[in-house]
Amino acid sequence: MMIRRMGEKVGTTQLVIFGASGDLTKRKLIPALVRLEAEGQLHDQVVVIGVSRSVKSDQEFCEHLAGAIPEEFRGAFESLSKRIHYLSADVKIPSDVEKLGAALDAMPGGESAGRLYYLSLKPELFGSTLTILGEAGMLRMADQHSDVWRRVVVEKPFGHDQESARALNTCMHRYLREQQIYRIDHYLGKETVQNILGFRFHNTIFEPLWNSHHIELVQITVAEDLGVEKGRAGFYDESGAMRDVVQNHMLQLLALVAMEAPATLDGDDIRNQKVEVLRALHIPDRADIAEQSVRARYTTGKIGDSNVIGYLEEEGVPENSQTETYVALRAEINNWRWNSVPFLLRHGKRLGSKFTEIKVQFRMPPVQLFNRPDGLSASEFRKQLRDGNLCQLRPNVLTISIQPSEALSLSFGVKRPGASMDMTPAKLSFNYEDVFKCGSAPAYQRLLLDALNGDPTLFLRSDEIDASWCFSDEFIKVWAADDAPPICEYAAGSWGPKEADALFEGCEGGWSRG
Ligand code: BG6
């Protein structure tokens, strides 16, 4: 698994990108390939074939891509662009796909090259495209270990709910073995996300404490200050925050924080443990959902100094939309390790700033010996602590910062020098940039390399996706019902609806602001 075959270049391969005119190809995929080229990870027999309906030449395609390449990677782009081709084809038309097959056969490596098909398409085209490719024999492999390999990368969303995800899976398995399928969740390509496993299972100091006896709550935040991006409202309104981010990225973070240690670093051992924990998620009923979740959408507000419009005013959003741009929920994991520990998950667009973070909050000492102000009873003191009134930095919180800060920190109390026994907050910190003096590689760079090398560890297996939908669908169903509680609102640039504070009931602390 995660052991990179450093120095070993990706051999003769045809990388076919469907949806080549789209944003993802230009902003993420090609820049990731260019970085791999710059690092010398791609053999000069790796060719890229962009496929899309619009008509353009190879040169026009490269000119379109060039706009997203930073100055420092110009040289690598020049070199890669000699191996970037473009083919105008409609994936809905079988004869177009056959034309693609013939073009691939005529390229370097021909039929004996490895082929990676990247479906950067609208989700409704996944099934039909695979069917056409399958029927044309373009996904066939002699045996699973053959050098003449065929793999497919599927972008998220993988299905719209559990039922459609299962149907898509069945369709894929008609033409592909599981080992040929790479379901992407770009969060798993982030260095700091991979480090959750390393941090937990390479170090022993936290493991004895990593359970409900010592952990009071786990808070996971994926906050964004961006709203719905131009041209994306149609998709987003069908999807909403739950399907767009919570069902996939956030549940993956939860799985990594909560899973048991895998027996080895083999992809399946890791994924088996993630599935176990996702399956142990308590499936909430209607009453739980009313009490333990909040969905909301942003209204007009301010991001920095700029006034921004509300979700309902965004171009392309239907005026009667009930789609949430914010979700906060209190999840529980029904297993021995985590029983009764709340996992508070929060994601929203147009919040105060962009950050992704996991906070593991250890329990307070059973008796508070320090810092009780004169005249305050023990119970009032505890309440003040709980409300965050007495301590700016709560002691014994492990913060795993995923982005933009890539860091780990542990807060604790130290005695302030002087005659009285006053405890004051302190921190132990580690920051990637300070230590390694370089930024992490973009997530897509790592994931593309793994897909090219045939390492599925950082890709999702269908049972993980199934378990994630099983949990998320319950919320989505309750929110879509005629008698659903009304959607809450929050001003853009704020930290979300005040109703979400109630999810902390019984725990100390509040929502993180990064
Ligand atoms: C994508 C969602 O999967 O993740 C987007 O579709 C979201 O809506 C994005 O903005 C967030 O990713 P990141 O890496 O910027 O946190």
Side-chain angles (χ1 to χ4, degrees), residues 156 186-187 190 224 232 244-245 249 349 354 356 403:
K156 72 172 258 286
H186 79 275
Y187 260 61
K190 292 180 193 279
E224 296 186 77
R232 211 169 169 241
D244 189 41
V245 167
H249 308 324
K349 296 220 177 264
K354 178 172 172 76
T356 299
Q403 61 184 25

Side-chain angles (χ1 to χ4, degrees), residues 206-408:
F206 289 105
E207 182 50 28
L209 308 177
W210 210 257
N211 55 50
S212 59
H213 299 298
H214 301 284
I215 291 178
E216 180 182 21
L217 88 98
V218 177
Q219 183 181 158
I220 305 180
T221 305
V222 175
E224 296 186 77
D225 52 0
L226 271 186
V228 176
E229 290 134 305
K230 224 176 158 31
R232 211 169 169 241
F235 162 78
Y236 191 84
D237 200 66
E238 291 280 298
S239 166
M242 179 59 115
R243 287 190 174 99
D244 189 41
V245 167
V246 179
Q247 183 271 344
N248 36 74
H249 308 324
M250 294 199 81
L251 291 184
Q252 282 295 314
L253 294 178
L254 174 144
L256 290 168
V257 169
M259 67 187 252
E260 299 301 316
T264 72
L265 289 184
D266 177 76
D268 271 331
D269 283 344
I270 294 176
R271 295 187 292 182
N272 287 342
Q273 296 296 10
K274 282 199 284 166
V275 171
E276 281 297 303
V277 86
L278 290 169
R279 284 210 183 117
L281 275 168
H282 166 69
I283 305 298
D285 62 16
R286 238 190 111 71
D288 295 336
I289 290 173
E291 261 178 32
Q292 297 185 356
S293 71
V294 173
R295 69 187 170 130
R297 71 171 160 243
Y298 60 86
T299 57
T300 48
K302 254 184 171 232
I303 298 285
D305 291 334
S306 312
N307 293 318
V308 295
I309 54 177
Y311 179 68
L312 291 180
E313 289 85 60
E314 300 278 8
E315 199 185 321
V317 172
E319 57 185 33
N320 59 351
S321 167
Q322 290 298 306
T323 299
E324 77 286 353
T325 60
Y326 173 101
V327 171
L329 62 89
R330 184 170 167 140
E332 280 169 28
I333 298 173
N334 284 337
N335 65 14
W336 279 44
R337 187 190 280 267
W338 293 115
N339 185 37
S340 83
V341 177
F343 279 71
L344 294 175
L345 271 48
R346 176 184 51 151
H347 160 62
K349 296 220 177 264
R350 286 281 190 240
L351 293 178
S353 68
K354 178 172 172 76
F355 73 94
T356 299
E357 177 196 84
I358 298 162
K359 272 187 184 297
V360 179
Q361 186 167 311
F362 292 89
R363 294 193 185 281
M364 294 289 267
V367 178
Q368 296 286 338
L369 294 175
F370 304 100
N371 294 17
R372 168 143 48 122
D374 289 343
L376 206 61
S377 71
S379 60
E380 182 56 20
F381 178 42
R382 201 166 169 89
K383 181 173 180 315
Q384 298 260 349
L385 284 170
R386 171 170 303 165
D387 296 344
N389 294 339
L390 286 179
C391 192
Q392 292 282 301
L393 183 67
R394 193 195 187 281
N396 306 156
V397 177
L398 174 73
T399 304
I400 305 173
S401 302
I402 306 290
Q403 61 184 25
S405 153
E406 299 181 314
L408 287 164

Side-chain angles (χ1 to χ4, degrees), residues 411-484:
S411 64
F412 54 95
V414 291
K415 182 187 168 303
R416 187 190 293 279
S420 60
M421 208 48 190
D422 273 350
M423 298 302 286
T424 191
K427 241 186 196 184
L428 276 176
S429 308
F430 155 82
N431 184 301
Y432 269 79
E433 209 172 350
D434 295 348
V435 175
F436 297 112
K437 312 283 178 227
C438 65
S440 305
Y444 276 95
Q445 180 180 346
R446 171 66 198 267
L447 294 173
L448 267 173
L449 186 63
D450 284 359
L452 288 164
N453 276 328
D455 183 344
T457 310
L458 298 178
F459 294 82
L460 305 183
R461 228 170 41 190
S462 59
D463 48 0
E464 292 177 76
I465 296 180
D466 197 77
S468 302
W469 277 125
C470 177
F471 174 75
S472 318
D473 274 358
E474 292 306 310
F475 293 86
I476 294 170
K477 271 189 239 152
V478 169
W479 293 340
D482 289 342
D483 57 350

